[in-house]
Amino acid sequence: MRRLIRAASALGLLAGAVHGLQVDFTSDDSIKQAASTVAYGLLKYYTGNNTGDTPGNLPDPYFWWEAGAMFGTMVDYWFLTGDESYVEVTKQALVHQAGDDQDYMPTNQTRTMGNDDQGFWAMAAMSAAENNFPNPPADQPQWLALAQAVFNEYVDRWDPETCNGGLRWQVFTFNNGYNYKNSISNGCFFNIAARLARYTGNQTYADWAEKVWDWMEEVGFIDEDFNVFDGAGVEAGCTEFSKPQWTYNAGIFLHGAAVMYNVYNASLGMDNGIGGGNDTASEVWAQRTQGMMRRTVDFFYNGTGVPTEHSCEPFNQCNIDQQSFKGYLMRWMTGTALMAPFTFDTLMPLVQSAAAAAALQCSGSPPADQFRGDPGTACGFKWTQGAVFDGQVGVGEQMSALSAIQYTLVKKAEVGGQDKVPVTANSGGTSIGNVNAGASTESKIPTPKPISTAERVAAGFATTAMLFSVLGGSFFVMKD
Ligand SMILES: *[C@@H]1O[C@H](CO)[C@@H](O)[C@H](O)[C@H]1NC(C)=O
Ligand SMILES: *[C@@H]1O[C@H](CO)[C@@H](O)[C@H](O)[C@H]1NC(C)=O
Ligand SMILES: *[C@@H]1O[C@H](CO)[C@@H](O)[C@H](O)[C@H]1NC(C)=O
Ligand SMILES: *[C@@H]1O[C@H](CO)[C@@H](O)[C@H](O)[C@H]1NC(C)=O
Ligand SMILES: *[C@@H]1O[C@H](CO)[C@@H](O)[C@H](O)[C@H]1NC(C)=O
Ligand SMILES: *[C@@H]1O[C@H](CO)[C@@H](O)[C@H](O)[C@H]1NC(C)=O
C-alpha cells in the first residue's frame, strides 16, 4: 500500500502537482490506505522500540502523556483498519509504561505526573479493553485492570478540602501545578468512570462519573451553556478561572456524557445490571450530551466543516501538547456517535469534513529531522487552510490527521450493536479486571534527593514561561 502511494507522490512531483493525500471517503479501502500512510509517518517519530531506548516513550520534545495518547490512537487504528503492523509495538508500550504498580505511574515520570498524563494512558488501556485489543500474557498487567487501577487512585485523590471537590492537576505536592484544578484531569476521571460503568455494569463507577460531572457544573468549569473552561487555582477556591477552551476538554466530557446515556438507556444494550431502564437518568444524560454537542460544534467548528483550536491556532501559539488536541476531539466525537445514536447524523459528517480538510494538509515534505514518513505525506496543523501546507509538523499534527481519517471508517449501519461498537464484559469483552488494582499515592513519594542544577534551570524556565503567558493574557500553567 505504501509503495503505491510513494509512486503516486513521485508522479505528482514530476507533474509539478501539489496536493495532499488522496482519499475517497466513499471507499473503505481508500480510507484505510490513507490511514496507513499517515500512521507510517506517525510511528516514524517513535524510537521507544529501538535497542537501548525505553518502550512507550517518545523522544523530546514530546511529553510522556502524548505517547499514551498516541498508543490509544493506535489501538483504534488497529480496530478500525484491521492493520496489524503496529500491534506489537503498541502492546509493548502499553505494558511497559504500566510501571511497577501496574497503574501508569512509572517512577521515571514522577517529576511531571499529572492526573491527566496518567489518564491518557489509562484511556488507551480502556480502549484496548473495549476493542478487544490482543490481551497481554496472563503474568502481565491487563487492560481493564489498568483502567480500574487509575480509577481507584483518582477516587483516593478526590479532594473536597479545596473547591469542594475535584482532582488537582498534579499528583504530587512538589510539582508545579499541584495548586491547580483543571477540566482535563477531571475529564479523564469522568470519562474512565463512565466507560468502566458501561464495561463492567458496576454502579459505583456510574456514581463517580455523576459526581465528577456535578462538581464540574457546581464549580463552573462547565457553565450553563456547556462551555468547558481550562481550570482554576485552589487558593481562591477555584473562582478565578483560566478561561481558554480546548477541543479536548469539550470532547472528553461530550463522550463521557454519551457513555452515561448509553449506560442508562436500557434499549441500547446495557443489559448487565446498573441503572438500565432509568428513563429519568437516560433523559438527563441525553440532554447533557445534546448540550455538549451543540456547544462543541458551535464553538470549535463555528459554522464551518472544520474545527479550529481557537485559543492558540489563529495566532500560531499552540504548544506541542495543544497541537495534538483536535485529534482527541475526532476520537470523542466518533465515540459519542457510537454511544448516543441521536448524535450520529450531526457528528459524523463533521468528522468526515474535518478528515477531508486534514488530508489536504498531509502534503508536506519537510527535512528528515522533522519527518521521516513518505515524502509528500507530512500533515500540517491548520485544517482550515485547505491544500496550502502550513509547515507545522510533528506527532500532534500527524496523529490528529490520522484520527480524523480513521474515524470516518465508522458507519451508521454499525451503530446500535454491530462490530464497531465498543464491547462490554457482557458482550464479548475478554479483558480481565481487578476492582482492587492501584496503589496509594503516599507509597510513591520518592525519597528526597538533592535537586540538580539542570532541574533548577528547568524550574526557573517554567516560572518565567508562566509569567510570560500571564502577561500575554492567556494563562496556562506550564510543566517543567
Ligand atoms: C519499531 O517498530 C516499528 C513499527 O512497527 C518497526 O518498523 C521497527 O522495525 C521497530 N524497530 C525495532 C528496532 O524493532
Ligand atoms: C525508566 O528509566 C530506565 C532508565 O532509562 C529504563 O531502563 C526503564 O525502562 C524506565 N521505565 C519505564 C517504566 O519507563
Ligand atoms: C433510548 O434509546 C432508544 C433508541 O435509541 C430511544 O428511542 C429512546 O428514546 C431512548 N430512551 C430515552 C429515555 O432516552
Ligand atoms: C434515576 O435517575 C435519576 C437521575 O439521575 C435519579 O435521580 C434517580 O434516583 C434514579 N432512579 C433510580 C430508581 O435509580
Ligand atoms: C465565528 O465566525 C464568525 C463569522 O463567520 C466570526 O466573525 C467569528 O470571529 C468566528 N468566531 C471564532 C471564535 O473564530
Ligand atoms: C464495584 O466497584 C467498586 C469500586 O471499585 C468495588 O469496591 C466493588 O467491589 C465492585 N463491585 C463488584 C460487584 O465488582
Side-chain angles (χ1 to χ4, degrees):
M1 260 193 265
R2 264 188 313 268
R3 213 161 282 131
L4 278 178
I5 290 281
R6 267 200 206 100
S9 53
L11 281 176
L13 274 177
L14 285 177
V18 179
H19 52 65
L21 210 59
Q22 301 298 297
V23 199
D24 171 4
F25 285 100
T26 64
S27 155
D28 281 7
D29 285 345
S30 174
I31 298 168
K32 287 179 189 178
Q33 176 162 327
S36 153
T37 302
V38 178
Y40 178 77
L42 174 60
L43 267 290
K44 282 284 183 187
Y45 287 104
Y46 180 59
T47 54
N49 64 338
N50 291 351
T51 311
D53 210 326
T54 302
N57 283 356
L58 281 164
D60 284 345
Y62 304 104
F63 284 115
W64 177 75
W65 79 273
E66 192 164 343
M70 183 177 88
F71 289 109
T73 304
M74 295 316 291
V75 166
D76 285 354
Y77 171 79
W78 163 81
F79 180 64
L80 292 167
T81 66
D83 180 356
E84 311 240 317
S85 307
Y86 307 107
V87 166
E88 284 311 313
V89 272
T90 300
K91 198 200 283 184
Q92 183 197 37
L94 288 174
V95 168
H96 190 79
Q97 290 302 325
D100 295 339
D101 294 327
Q102 311 204 338
D103 60 352
Y104 291 123
M105 288 196 63
T107 47
N108 291 347
Q109 304 300 332
T110 302
R111 294 288 307 178
T112 60
M113 182 58 69
N115 283 301
D116 49 353
D117 303 60
Q118 189 186 19
F120 270 83
W121 283 91
M123 289 186 291
M126 193 69 226
S127 298
E130 292 167 335
N131 290 345
N132 267 335
F133 189 73
N135 291 311
D139 61 346
Q140 291 177 7
Q142 303 298 310
W143 310 134
L144 178 60
L146 283 162
Q148 288 170 311
V150 176
F151 169 88
N152 288 339
E153 293 179 4
Y154 284 163
V155 169
D156 276 352
R157 291 177 203 147
W158 186 258
D159 169 41
E161 307 295 312
T162 57
C163 315
N164 204 26
L167 286 181
R168 292 167 180 259
W169 176 26
Q170 291 293 307
V171 172
F172 296 110
T173 53
F174 48 80
N175 284 336
N176 275 339
Y178 182 71
N179 287 334
Y180 190 68
K181 287 190 176 175
N182 61 356
S183 291
I184 193 60
S185 294
N186 289 282
C188 288
F189 191 4
F190 173 64
N191 191 281
I192 291 165
R195 290 160 73 181
L196 284 173
R198 180 175 177 277
Y199 191 97
T200 65
N202 182 329
Q203 180 76 46
T204 306
Y205 299 125
D207 292 346
W208 271 100
E210 179 108 35
K211 183 170 172 148
V212 177
W213 179 282
D214 289 348
W215 178 78
M216 286 289 295
E217 285 193 335
E218 190 185 293
V219 78
F221 288 0
I222 298 180
D223 75 6
E224 62 273 20
D225 297 321
F226 297 96
N227 294 299
V228 187
F229 303 114
D230 187 77
V234 300
E235 293 91 344
C238 294
T239 55
E240 291 165 17
F241 289 7
S242 169
K243 282 269 182 169
Q245 296 186 52
W246 306 108
T247 49
Y248 78 157
N249 279 331
I252 204 168
F253 283 97
L254 168 63
H255 178 230
V259 175
M260 290 297 279
Y261 165 76
N262 191 287
V263 162
Y264 281 111
N265 185 320
S267 64
L268 291 173
M270 259 306 298
D271 53 357
N272 60 354
I274 42 166
N278 181 341
D279 281 356
T280 311
S282 180
E283 277 301 323
V284 166
W285 286 106
Q287 280 161 20
R288 288 169 175 169
T289 305
Q290 185 79 37
M292 278 303 310
M293 175 172 77
R294 281 267 63 95
R295 187 58 190 147
T296 301
V297 169
D298 287 350
F299 188 78
F300 294 106
Y301 278 76
N302 195 21
T304 74
V306 184
T308 303
E309 198 64 72
H310 281 305
S311 301
C312 57
E313 185 174 326
F315 14 95
N316 300 324
Q317 291 294 317
C318 297
N319 66 24
I320 295 283
D321 288 351
Q322 292 152 3
Q323 284 162 26
S324 71
F325 290 176
K326 284 183 297 194
Y328 319 130
L329 178 62
M330 298 297 104
R331 180 197 294 191
W332 289 320
M333 282 169 64
T334 306
T336 299
L338 284 168
M339 289 293 107
F342 64 86
T343 65
F344 193 98
D345 289 339
T346 303
L347 293 176
M348 290 317 289
L350 290 169
V351 170
Q352 182 160 321
S353 55
L360 283 176
Q361 272 300 306
C362 296
S363 63
S365 306
D369 62 334
Q370 292 175 40
F371 182 73
R372 284 179 297 127
D374 293 329
T377 69
C379 302
F381 179 57
K382 291 187 176 179
W383 298 348
T384 48
Q385 290 207 345
V388 184
F389 176 60
D390 77 349
Q392 299 186 61
V393 295
V395 169
E397 286 81 358
Q398 204 71 15
M399 172 162 56
S400 295
L402 172 62
S403 298
I405 292 166
Q406 74 185 13
Y407 291 121
T408 66
L409 288 165
V410 170
K411 296 293 183 315
K412 186 157 196 185
E414 283 142 6
V415 174
Q418 305 270 330
D419 64 346
K420 294 290 196 299
V421 177
V423 297
T424 69
N426 257 23
S427 67
T430 58
S431 188
I432 311 261
N434 172 7
V435 290
N436 297 317
S440 78
T441 304
E442 288 68 38
S443 70
K444 295 163 181 288
I445 295 174
T447 38
K449 67 170 169 47
I451 295 174
S452 73
T453 308
E455 279 170 334
R456 259 196 214 105
V457 172
F461 170 77
T463 314
T464 315
M466 217 161 100
L467 281 174
F468 182 78
S469 39
V470 170
L471 293 176
S474 144
F475 171 72
F476 34 88
V477 190
M478 299 184 67
K479 295 190 185 195
D480 61 16

